[in-house]
Each structure stands twice: as C-alpha cells, then as structure tokens.
Amino acid sequence: MRRIVVLTSNTGTGSNLQALIDASTTQFNGQIVGVISGKESAPALWRAKQADIPTQVYDYSEYKEAGKPRVRFEEDLAHTLQIYTPDLIVLAGWRFNFSKTFLKFFPWRVINLHPGLLGDKPGEPYHFTDGTAADPCYGLCGEMAIQAQLASGAPAVGSTVHVVMPDTDWGPVIERGMVPVQHGEPAEDAYARLKKKENQIIVQALQELCLPMEAVH
C-alpha cells in the first residue's frame, strides 16, 4: 500500500483532500499518512484531524519574516516529509512552487492538482475539439483561475493533475477534468461544478499511480 502525504493551504474547503480520504484504501491502493498545510487556518487540517491523520503547519511566510532563504524552507520541508517515508506527495491547493531543491528529494513522486488545462508538451496549450486554446492559468488559483478561463472564451473550464517538474509551469499530465461552460454562468457556479470534477480526477490519478505491486510487473 502506497504511503501518501498531502500538502494543502488555506484556500478552498479541503474537498479534494476529503475525496482522497474517502477513497483511500478502498478505491486506490494507498493510505494518507500525513497532511501538511501552509497555513494554520486551512479547512483541510480540520478534515484530516477528523480522520485521525497526523497534521503539521509549514508556513513559508515565517521563513521570509526571519530572513531565511527559500532554499532553507524547501530543504527543511523535505526533511520533515522524509519522516513520513512517502511514496507519493500530492499538492492539493498548495500555494508554493517547488524548485529542484525540494524535488530532488522526491523525483517523479510529487503530483499537483493545477487549476487550469495544461498541454501535453512544455509551452504548448491544450486545445479543445473546436480548436480553441485553453488558458493554462499559470500563477492563478481558485475562482481567479475560473474567471481567466471564462474570459478566454473557451467552451469549458478544467483542471489538470500532473507530475511536478522543477523550474517549470508544466509536467507530464496524468488526468484532466473539465465541465462545459454555460452561457452567462457566474464564475462561482462554474467553480462549484468543476470542484466536483476535481474530486473525481484526483482520485482517478491515485488509482493509476497506486497500483498493487503485482500489477506493475
């Protein structure tokens, strides 16, 4: 059974974490052994505690205020995560972009739920069947990402689960999820519908990545 640590933040309601908690051990061969948040106020921490999952808070702003470099934060967090001996690290609403300083500790083991549709190659957009290019929503999150997608005139809004790579806004795509745009629909309504799809694709990604060992050979 794969050991999974989820990194989150204070944005959102923690529904993606809840989807993973509900599906772990039954819908995919994995167990969430820890949840780390960038903020004490993250709703996901409450969800983890309700499920008796160990939690920690790792706030980058405290490092900045103390004048400590980014590399120190990434190294300290990586060492903390190693205590959990994770097979996979899932970023679900995590607001800090990792560099190779962190990722070298967990090569090809960090996946992210990105609030936009990423293409299959670096720098290339995802194209809908009508030829429209999707907004990848680099640097955006939550409802702001949805607003950007709606403003682009795309026929759907979506999110991507991908492998995290150093120094790039792209990574090999594992799953995409999208919902059609309804005419005149407010961003908050589209976001609510997309969140349900996100809950599905993050579980589907773990189903693919947490295959039993006998299925890998």
Side-chain angles (χ1 to χ4, degrees):
M1 182 173 291
R2 303 296 193 268
R3 294 173 60 83
I4 300 163
V5 175
V6 178
L7 272 58
T8 185
S9 71
N10 64 331
T11 60
T13 63
S15 66
N16 288 313
L17 171 63
Q18 189 64 56
L20 292 174
I21 291 173
D22 294 342
S24 64
T25 73
T26 58
Q27 295 185 44
F28 59 82
N29 186 35
Q31 179 182 8
I32 301 173
V33 296
V35 173
I36 293 181
S37 172
K39 295 294 180 181
E40 184 72 48
S41 58
L45 290 178
W46 178 86
R47 293 181 183 270
K49 291 173 182 177
Q50 290 294 106
D52 294 323
I53 298 172
T55 64
Q56 287 184 258
V57 176
Y58 239 84
D59 191 341
Y60 176 54
S61 65
E62 295 179 0
Y63 277 70
K64 292 179 65 177
E65 292 170 2
K68 297 179 181 178
R70 172 195 178 103
V71 64
R72 177 69 178 277
F73 172 79
E74 295 195 45
E75 289 177 342
D76 287 352
L77 178 56
H79 291 146
T80 296
L81 286 172
Q82 287 180 318
I83 297 172
Y84 295 92
T85 59
D87 296 300
L88 285 171
I89 297 170
V90 179
L91 311 184
W94 181 251
R95 297 291 301 278
F96 184 92
N97 292 325
F98 287 125
S99 71
K100 60 185 178 182
T101 297
F102 176 86
L103 295 173
K104 69 182 179 183
F105 290 92
F106 310 101
W108 292 90
R109 285 190 283 158
V110 184
I111 68 170
N112 178 48
L113 179 59
H114 176 78
L117 292 169
L118 301 180
D120 291 322
K121 296 180 180 180
E124 292 187 5
Y126 173 81
H127 290 277
F128 295 101
T129 55
D130 66 355
T132 307
D135 187 335
C137 300
Y138 298 141
L140 300 178
C141 63
E143 199 169 304
M144 289 187 296
I146 298 300
Q147 290 172 342
Q149 293 185 66
L150 291 174
S152 72
V157 295
S159 296
T160 307
V161 181
H162 68 97
V163 179
V164 177
M165 306 298 286
D167 305 317
T168 182
D169 285 317
W170 178 88
V173 173
I174 303 170
E175 294 283 346
R176 291 189 189 91
M178 60 192 79
V179 293
V181 172
Q182 299 177 3
H183 180 69
E185 182 178 25
E188 58 267 26
D189 292 350
Y191 186 39
R193 292 191 298 115
L194 182 58
K195 286 301 295 183
K196 294 179 181 179
K197 180 64 69 172
E198 286 184 344
N199 297 164
Q200 295 173 7
I201 64 173
I202 193 65
V203 170
Q204 289 169 356
L206 269 292
Q207 288 173 334
E208 180 177 343
L209 296 172
C210 295
L211 292 172
M213 289 304 296
E214 58 269 20
V216 177
H217 300 290

